[in-house]
Amino acid sequence: MMELVQVTKVYEQGRRTVQAVRGVSLRIGTGEFVSIMGPSGSGKSTLLHLLGGLDVPTTGQAIFQGDDLQAMSDRQRTMIRRHRIGFVFQFFNLLPTLTAIENVALPLLLAGEKRRVAHERARASIDRIGMLRRADHLPDELSGGEMQRIAIARALVTDPEAILCDEPTGNLDSANSKAILELLRTLPEPGKRSVVMVTHDPNSAHYADRLITIRDGLLDSDISTNRVPAKA
Ligand code: ADP
Ligand code: ADP
């Protein structure tokens, strides 16, 4: 479970201070697929960074699977990000000089895994998202949708407890967006893995089982969509 307890986040912008998050409490259960929606500048990315230990609260607590992220050393937080969380970004963040499979293997190599094992697991992760035919291609030989699939394979390769997505469809056309959202929907596992996605796009947000909206750094609404299986 991931939890924010009365979290605020203040940034200094020159002589100005910006209250990006103004007192948010939130629990995300293991196995949930949650979207966080709000307009640009409402604090979505900041919330995601706090949940994933990329940033620490100014006040309040961010807790990952029972551990207070702020109470840890930078090194401990880095270990949690590397081993237990997968990140997916709007612009994919693939390294241009590495092939798809090398990009996917990278988190395991950084975590100290042997090269042969890392490549075997990278191949399995790419297979899971149906991209084996592109495994040996460079990012600039792939379409946007294919690059985001490879980025998802990279996020999955460590078998993480959480996958955190920042505008994952923000750079994709509607057909590719739909495919990526359908793929994200398959990733949560009860008792094992949750998926959190921030987006400004209502159509994307509605793929999740739970929709949280934020406005000016405050929670605005939190609803379970109780999705009914589509009838044929
Ligand atoms: P969103 O993801 O909803 O667009 P952000 O979380 O990126 O919102 O930003 C919320 C507010 O915090 C904005 O006013 C933004 O300018 C500010 N902000 C975000 N990150 C930083 C930073 N690293 N330094 C200074 N201000 C920041
Ligand atoms: P934005 O939300 O402004 O589009 P990104 O989502 O690309 O920016 O990245 C947000 C921040 O997270 C950046 O400061 C980036 O350096 C950092 N970051 C990205 N991936 C990781 C990671 N795996 N571990 C630690 N920090 C990361």
Side-chain angles (χ1 to χ4, degrees):
M1 193 181 70
M2 288 178 281
E3 191 170 7
L4 300 179
V5 185
Q6 284 296 323
V7 163
T8 69
K9 182 67 190 182
V10 177
Y11 289 114
E12 308 289 332
Q13 293 184 352
R15 276 180 299 167
R16 247 163 40 96
T17 61
V18 175
Q19 294 210 310
V21 177
R22 299 193 294 154
V24 167
S25 295
L26 182 62
R27 298 166 79 120
I28 294 173
T30 308
E32 283 196 279
F33 180 15
V34 179
S35 62
I36 299 175
M37 187 174 74
S40 181
S42 58
K44 301 182 297 296
S45 294
T46 302
L47 274 187
L48 199 72
H49 293 173
L50 294 168
L51 285 169
L54 293 173
D55 210 341
V56 293
T58 305
T59 63
Q61 287 176 296
I63 298 169
F64 183 80
Q65 304 281 44
D67 295 320
D68 184 343
L69 289 167
Q70 195 167 8
M72 295 174 194
S73 64
D74 284 346
R75 186 179 155 72
Q76 285 172 312
R77 258 197 310 278
T78 300
M79 294 308 266
I80 286 190
R81 286 201 305 268
R82 279 196 187 152
H83 293 267
R84 299 172 64 186
I85 303 177
F87 293 93
V88 176
F89 301 100
Q90 178 173 1
F91 295 104
F92 323 125
N93 292 12
L94 298 173
L95 293 181
T97 58
L98 300 183
T99 63
I101 192 167
E102 287 167 343
N103 269 284
V104 175
L106 199 54
L108 294 173
L109 295 173
L110 288 174
E113 193 59 85
K114 289 199 176 68
R115 197 184 140 75
R116 190 178 55 79
V117 176
H119 274 250
E120 276 169 15
R121 288 178 61 184
R123 186 164 292 279
S125 190
I126 292 175
D127 192 19
R128 172 169 178 177
I129 50 94
M131 287 290 295
L132 269 187
R133 68 192 186 287
R134 293 283 188 258
D136 297 316
H137 288 244
L138 291 167
D140 72 8
E141 299 167 336
L142 302 175
S143 72
E146 288 173 335
M147 281 193 271
Q148 195 60 302
R149 282 170 190 278
I150 293 299
I152 290 169
R154 177 183 58 188
L156 272 174
V157 77
T158 57
D159 197 20
E161 292 149 74
I163 296 192
L164 305 182
C165 313
D166 197 345
E167 302 277 4
T169 60
N171 204 35
L172 301 178
D173 63 26
S174 62
N176 275 306
S177 293
K178 188 166 182 300
I180 290 297
L181 291 161
E182 293 288 1
L183 176 58
L184 290 176
R185 191 188 260 182
T186 68
L187 304 183
E189 286 179 29
K192 162 70 186 169
R193 172 157 55 238
S194 42
V195 176
V196 182
M197 164 174 79
V198 308
T199 178
H200 66 276
D201 173 30
N203 293 324
S204 297
H206 281 95
Y207 276 76
D209 305 319
R210 178 177 165 200
L211 174 56
I212 293 169
T213 57
I214 63 165
R215 185 188 297 269
D216 297 332
L218 289 168
L219 286 195
D220 198 33
S221 67
D222 184 346
I223 53 170
S224 176
T225 59
N226 281 327
R227 194 189 305 112
V228 180
K231 295 208 178 80

